[in-house]
Amino acid sequence: MASDAVANLADSLAKTQVDEGELSYKGQGLKLDNAQSVEKMVKEIEEFGGLRALRLEGNTIGLEAAQTIAKALENKSDLQCCHWSDMFTGRLRAEIPPALVSLGDALITAGARLKVLDLSDNAFGPDGVKGIEKLLKSAACHTLQELRLNNCGMGIGGGKILAAALTVCYKESSALGAPLQLKVFIAGRNRLENDGATALAQAFQLIGSLEEVHMPQNGINYQGVTALATAMQHNPQLRVLNLNDNTFTKRGAIAMAQALKHLRNVQVINFGDCLVRSEGASAIAETLREGLPILKELNLSFGEITEEAAIEVARSVQHKDQLKKLDLNGNSLGDEGCDKLKEVMESLNMGDKLGSLSDDEGEPEEDEDEEEDDDDDDDDEEDVEEEEEEEVEEEEEEGEEEKSESNQFSTPPSAPRTPDVSSFLSFPSPDKLLRLGAKRSSLIQQQVDVLDMSKTAEAFLKISSVYKEDDSEVKSAVLESIDAVMSKAFLTPSFQGLTFVSSLLVMLGLLKSEDKLKPVKVVPGHLHCLEHAVKQSYFPREHITVLNAFMARPNKSLEPCSSARDRLKSTLQKLIPES
């Protein structure tokens, strides 16, 4: 068996790509546990003259293997790019920090001058950030241009450690006459929240050289957004700003709009699913009229923007000659509002720049407008509460952080209020689902009115829309929530199962409705979750035949999800009751 493993490794190494100073083991699926398993790789590294880039992503590297690779890097002074994302799959959390320390120390010893450091998709948490802290503070990172830490689970604590390390790096490099010129910062899906984002904002303001900032799905509210807005003003070369799926509300949106007035090089703005609301959209429109001359893409989707504000945004892009796409989907325009928006864009000869409006939420009801005002009042109340609690939190924070070092998943005391279920069901995202906590499935179950078949079907689709096959934590949370809602529904005596299935088929675009229900855009998660549900004991066998009949028919709405559709069809056919 051992010889087979060595042979497989040899085959993989034979496929190694070498391109202009780059040595790549990308995506080979190697399981590297110890020194023996990396012997051939180490030899390749040692014999590679002028090594500038090393790609290790898509493999899984244990501590001993990492230490052995590190030893080979100690004399690679030309190394500039470390593409090390997704290289700890299946490893214990405790293994990862010392592995990162070993690799970082090797780069420092070698005297390397990095340009790119990519450690995305490693889920190493705050302790992992501590593992690269020394490297980030060292001269090896004084030349760093791109830092990619997407989906690493840093949390607030990790965000603060990262911010402090970048600050040290900037100050020490500046003292040597060559300040850090970081251009690209990527840290989506890290649960940074307000405190983590604010700490990083302070570092960004100091650095001042950023061209791309990507921080989607981080649970950042208007306080953190406002801090980031201030920081962006000090980065005049900013081209791309992606804060998708955070919660601006109008206060954060207005602050960001004011900041954008100071920037002339922005080409891409992604504030989709950020709840910018109508007042925030109007503020952004004002900025568009005054500046952002080379804007190419603007995403204000799913922001509870009404017709008047959306049209204001549309008119504000009139003279944006480089604009390629304006996304206002998923807002609250209504049918007439959507038509009016299209007419305005056509009148500006920019009809082809407007994205789809297929997921429009319809005109808001009066009580929703009142709710928005209430939310803003709540924001003011939160400010007062935060001011009163700030001193206590500062006194407690240091002690709590010390305790959290030994706890892999601890939550810092300054974490903001957990989002409510209605917020998730209104604008679902993986981050919002996870932040509902361990009781999420019961909370969602309580929220869904299973006596309303349409609302139950809609909830099913909302939950399943955030399903991720390659993220075990999100996948588990979604399926648990689906089971909670569906089991409650089908076990309720008055629940009309066939009506629910019909509503689901209508919303998936597989069945025409006499009501003017708009089908959703089908995503693989919808079908994966349906496949899961039909296999459970709560799902009535008599509905399997109905679902199978509709899934067997050709339908354009399912074409983008052909793989998930085929899996569902296969499962349904196996489950059809024998006559």
Side-chain angles (χ1 to χ4, degrees), residues 93 167 188 221 231 304 315 324 353 385 512 534 540 574:
R93 178 71 66 87
T167 299
N221 296 329
E304 290 191 2
R315 287 180 172 145
K324 295 180 180 178
K353 312 299 183 188
E385 289 172 6
K512 289 184 179 179
V534 298
K574 292 176 184 175

Side-chain angles (χ1 to χ4, degrees), residues 168-367:
V168 170
C169 184
Y170 177 81
K171 288 181 177 179
E172 292 191 356
S173 60
S174 296
L176 295 172
L180 172 68
Q181 294 287 303
L182 187 66
K183 295 179 180 179
V184 177
F185 180 84
I186 300 176
R189 296 194 65 200
N190 272 291
R191 303 186 204 173
L192 295 169
E193 302 183 7
N194 287 334
D195 287 358
T198 299
L200 285 166
Q202 292 169 353
F204 295 162
Q205 184 168 333
L206 191 66
I207 293 167
S209 56
L210 288 165
E211 296 180 10
E212 292 188 28
V213 175
H214 301 262
M215 297 173 66
Q217 294 185 19
N218 269 297
I220 307 170
N221 296 329
Y222 80 86
Q223 298 96 328
V225 171
T226 301
L228 288 170
T230 301
M232 293 307 105
Q233 295 182 46
H234 296 268
N235 288 267
Q237 300 307 313
L238 188 70
R239 293 183 295 105
V240 178
L241 182 57
N242 175 10
L243 295 175
N244 186 281
D245 199 5
N246 290 292
T247 307
F248 283 36
T249 64
K250 73 175 185 182
R251 298 178 67 175
I254 290 171
M256 193 60 74
Q258 291 298 317
L260 290 170
K261 288 182 178 180
H262 300 270
L263 302 170
R264 305 286 296 174
N265 294 301
V266 175
Q267 297 177 22
V268 178
I269 296 173
N270 186 344
F271 296 161
D273 201 7
C274 284
L275 209 64
V276 299
R277 296 197 167 128
S278 297
E279 289 186 59
S282 294
I284 292 170
E286 181 185 339
T287 296
L288 286 164
R289 286 191 294 271
E290 298 175 4
L292 301 175
I294 59 173
L295 187 68
K296 293 181 179 179
E297 294 183 23
L298 175 61
N299 184 347
L300 295 178
S301 61
F302 298 94
E304 290 191 2
I305 301 169
T306 55
E307 175 188 339
E308 184 178 350
I311 289 174
E312 195 177 346
V313 171
R315 287 180 172 145
S316 71
V317 301
Q318 180 175 2
H319 300 296
K320 302 295 180 242
D321 297 334
Q322 297 187 38
L323 189 73
K324 295 180 180 178
K325 185 175 182 181
L326 172 62
D327 191 346
L328 288 166
N329 196 19
N331 283 298
S332 303
L333 310 183
D335 290 340
E336 291 183 8
C338 287
D339 291 340
K340 183 72 179 295
L341 179 60
K342 291 174 184 176
E343 287 174 12
V344 169
M345 291 297 285
E346 290 290 349
S347 71
L348 300 174
N349 294 318
M350 302 179 79
D352 59 330
K353 312 299 183 188
L354 182 64
S356 169
L357 299 174
S358 61
D359 295 321
D360 187 74
E361 296 287 334
E363 293 182 61
E365 297 179 8
E366 288 182 13
D367 59 343

Side-chain angles (χ1 to χ4, degrees), residues 452-526:
D452 187 319
M453 309 310 131
S454 293
K455 287 183 178 178
T456 306
E458 184 179 355
F460 179 94
L461 295 175
K462 292 274 191 179
I463 299 166
S464 59
S465 69
V466 304
Y467 177 94
K468 289 184 178 292
E469 184 71 28
D470 58 351
D471 188 323
S472 59
E473 186 179 10
V474 173
K475 178 179 178 180
S476 176
V478 168
L479 296 181
E480 285 174 7
S481 302
I482 289 290
D483 286 341
V485 173
M486 290 292 93
S487 60
K488 176 185 176 183
F490 284 114
L491 294 175
T492 299
S494 56
F495 183 72
Q496 300 171 27
L498 191 55
T499 304
F500 162 77
V501 171
S502 298
S503 297
L504 198 61
L505 291 170
V506 168
M507 292 177 185
L508 290 170
L510 304 178
L511 179 64
K512 289 184 179 179
S513 170
E514 294 178 2
D515 302 322
K516 293 184 178 179
L517 282 176
K518 287 188 176 180
V520 300
K521 180 182 178 183
V522 183
V523 296
H526 293 146

Side-chain angles (χ1 to χ4, degrees), residues 194-195 221-224 378-394 414-417:
N194 287 334
D195 287 358
N221 296 329
Y222 80 86
Q223 298 96 328
D378 288 344
D379 288 342
D380 293 334
E381 289 173 12
E382 284 176 25
D383 282 347
V384 174
E385 289 172 6
E386 284 177 8
E387 287 172 9
E388 291 174 350
E389 295 173 5
E390 190 174 24
E391 291 183 8
V392 177
E393 286 184 354
E394 285 177 356
S414 54
R417 186 176 60 192

Side-chain angles (χ1 to χ4, degrees), residues 115-175:
K115 290 184 177 180
V116 178
L117 179 60
D118 186 356
L119 289 166
S120 298
D121 300 316
N122 278 312
F124 46 51
D127 290 341
V129 185
K130 291 179 183 177
I132 58 171
E133 183 179 10
K134 180 180 176 183
L135 172 63
L136 289 172
K137 290 179 178 178
S138 75
C141 285
H142 286 183
T143 51
L144 195 64
Q145 295 180 9
E146 297 184 18
L147 179 58
R148 300 170 181 267
L149 296 169
N150 203 56
N151 192 29
C152 287
M154 289 189 287
I156 295 172
K160 289 181 176 180
I161 295 167
L162 176 61
L166 289 174
T167 299
V168 170
C169 184
Y170 177 81
K171 288 181 177 179
E172 292 191 356
S173 60
S174 296

Side-chain angles (χ1 to χ4, degrees), residues 390-433:
E390 190 174 24
E391 291 183 8
V392 177
E393 286 184 354
E394 285 177 356
E395 291 173 6
E396 294 176 351
E397 188 174 20
E398 188 172 323
E400 291 292 334
E401 282 185 352
E402 287 176 7
K403 292 178 187 177
S404 72
E405 288 180 10
S406 61
N407 188 337
Q408 294 175 344
F409 302 104
S410 61
T411 302
S414 54
R417 186 176 60 192
T418 301
D420 59 21
V421 177
S422 59
S423 172
F424 165 70
L425 291 175
S426 296
F427 296 98
S429 73
D431 184 62
K432 287 179 183 176
L433 179 62

